[in-house]
Amino acid sequence: MKSNPVIQAAIDLTAGAAGGTARVITGQPFDTAKVKMQTFPAMYRGFVDCFVKIYKQVGFRGFYEGTTPALVANIAENAVLFMCYGFCQSVVRSIVGLDRKAKLSDLQNAAAGSFASAFATLVLCPTELVKCRLQAMHEMQLSGEVVRGPNTVWSVVRGVLEKDGPLGFYRGGSSTLLREVPGYFFFFGGYELSRTFFAFGKPKEELGPVALMMSGGFGGTCLWIAVYPIDCIKTRIQVLSMSGEQAGFMVTFASVLRKEGIFALYSGLKPTMIRAFPANGALFLAYEYSRKLMMNQFDM
């Protein structure tokens, strides 16, 4: 079975989808706070203030605005990401002249993850745009940027199609790619480096759930520390373009620095870092265990 690339790709895709689901279920409220604070930093004094206002204004359901597209985004992204990760590992082996069954170093795994993220961007950008707009719709309506109306997945999708056509779903696409490629180098690099640390010379495959969750959390922390300002600009482009603003990455970046200062690029960092450990720990725990289960079933 392990020599069959089709079955292996299907296993990686399914395990990645399981990991993406676990990540959303664990971290959605923190992601909602992040998006709101990134787009409207002046409305919130901090992470706790944002949480309190969300609850007072919208209720508990406000923390889960955009959950459906978030699930679609994470399932699609991680399914493609981990499927392509296995493929990119094979490419890296070919480039460095290793046997196809040889173990890659942590740095080589990081490079494979970085390559794989470019493919994941194609499915991530449209779904993440819908998610971010749903999460920030209340603030856009309060500020008068958009007319009050229904806040549903379909209303957002219809609005994008009416204003910009199908290509409108790729608003912020270059920013997403600019975030994903270096970000996932640190993500997979941090994850593999942490697994090496916890393994103490033993096979990484024998690590328990606590070590896997710690390694996933460390990888997620590395990702966000490395690319958070890029993610902030990406979010603003995707949300503010709802009102007709069409600025690209460099124009938006320069505008934020000039008008709000460099610290505005780090608005929402605290809930993001709090979310990084449980969400990404759950991602890798679900991925590794579901992948191992499926591979054992096929081996039997």
Side-chain angles (χ1 to χ4, degrees):
M1 187 281 299
K2 292 178 181 177
S3 63
N4 190 319
V6 176
I7 294 178
Q8 187 64 63
I11 288 175
D12 289 336
L13 187 147
T14 306
T21 303
R23 177 197 260 176
V24 173
I25 292 171
T26 308
Q28 182 65 11
F30 298 99
D31 184 68
T32 298
K34 172 191 78 101
V35 169
K36 289 177 181 290
M37 292 174 72
Q38 283 180 328
T39 314
F40 300 96
M43 287 188 179
Y44 304 103
R45 293 192 301 272
F47 163 53
V48 175
D49 181 56
C50 182
F51 257 58
V52 171
K53 286 182 177 176
I54 290 173
Y55 185 75
K56 286 183 177 179
Q57 294 168 353
V58 189
F60 185 75
R61 66 179 177 83
F63 295 110
Y64 287 90
E65 293 285 4
T67 297
T68 300
L71 275 171
V72 174
N74 274 270
I75 289 172
E77 178 197 16
N78 287 288
V80 174
L81 177 69
F82 283 102
M83 182 181 69
C84 293
Y85 181 47
F87 170 74
C88 289
Q89 285 176 317
S90 300
V91 173
V92 170
R93 287 189 184 93
S94 299
I95 292 173
V96 299
L98 293 175
D99 182 79
R100 64 188 181 89
K101 293 185 179 180
K103 297 281 187 181
L104 295 178
S105 69
D106 295 339
L107 183 63
Q108 290 165 341
N109 277 316
S114 181
F115 295 153
S117 69
F119 297 98
T121 300
L122 296 174
V123 296
L124 175 64
C125 187
T127 49
E128 197 164 71
L129 178 137
V130 176
K131 175 191 74 75
C132 289
R133 290 188 176 186
L134 280 169
Q135 288 172 318
M137 185 69 74
H138 181 72
E139 287 76 8
M140 290 291 284
Q141 292 173 345
L142 282 179
S143 63
E145 295 287 345
V146 296
V147 178
R148 290 184 180 273
N151 186 21
T152 64
V153 172
W154 172 240
S155 67
V156 173
V157 170
R158 185 175 58 193
V160 173
L161 290 173
E162 289 176 351
K163 287 184 178 179
D164 302 311
L167 291 179
F169 289 105
Y170 284 91
R171 188 75 62 192
S174 59
S175 304
T176 304
L177 184 63
L178 192 60
R179 178 195 68 182
E180 296 289 283
V181 173
Y184 275 93
F185 177 87
F186 290 100
F187 184 64
F188 281 101
Y191 174 66
E192 294 294 346
L193 188 65
S194 184
R195 284 212 303 165
T196 299
F197 172 78
F198 283 116
F200 295 113
K202 298 178 182 178
K204 292 180 181 179
E205 292 74 17
E206 296 179 5
L207 288 176
V210 175
L212 283 176
M213 290 191 71
M214 292 294 291
S215 298
F218 181 70
T221 301
C222 291
L223 182 153
W224 288 115
I225 289 174
V227 300
Y228 192 81
I230 301 173
D231 181 70
C232 184
I233 297 302
K234 188 274 308 175
T235 300
R236 290 207 181 197
I237 291 171
Q238 291 186 322
V239 173
L240 297 178
S241 59
M242 188 169 21
S243 63
E245 296 186 28
Q246 306 297 324
F249 178 82
M250 290 307 298
V251 173
T252 305
F253 181 75
S255 176
V256 171
L257 284 180
R258 185 176 65 256
K259 295 178 181 178
E260 303 172 50
I262 191 169
F263 290 110
L265 296 173
Y266 291 90
S267 295
L269 180 61
K270 186 178 291 185
T272 301
M273 298 308 290
I274 293 172
R275 167 182 173 258
F277 256 86
N280 290 292
L283 162 68
F284 275 108
L285 186 66
Y287 167 74
E288 294 287 1
Y289 272 86
S290 60
R291 183 175 185 270
K292 186 183 296 185
L293 177 64
M294 287 183 285
M295 290 186 70
N296 287 340
Q297 289 297 317
F298 274 99
D299 283 340
M300 289 173 63

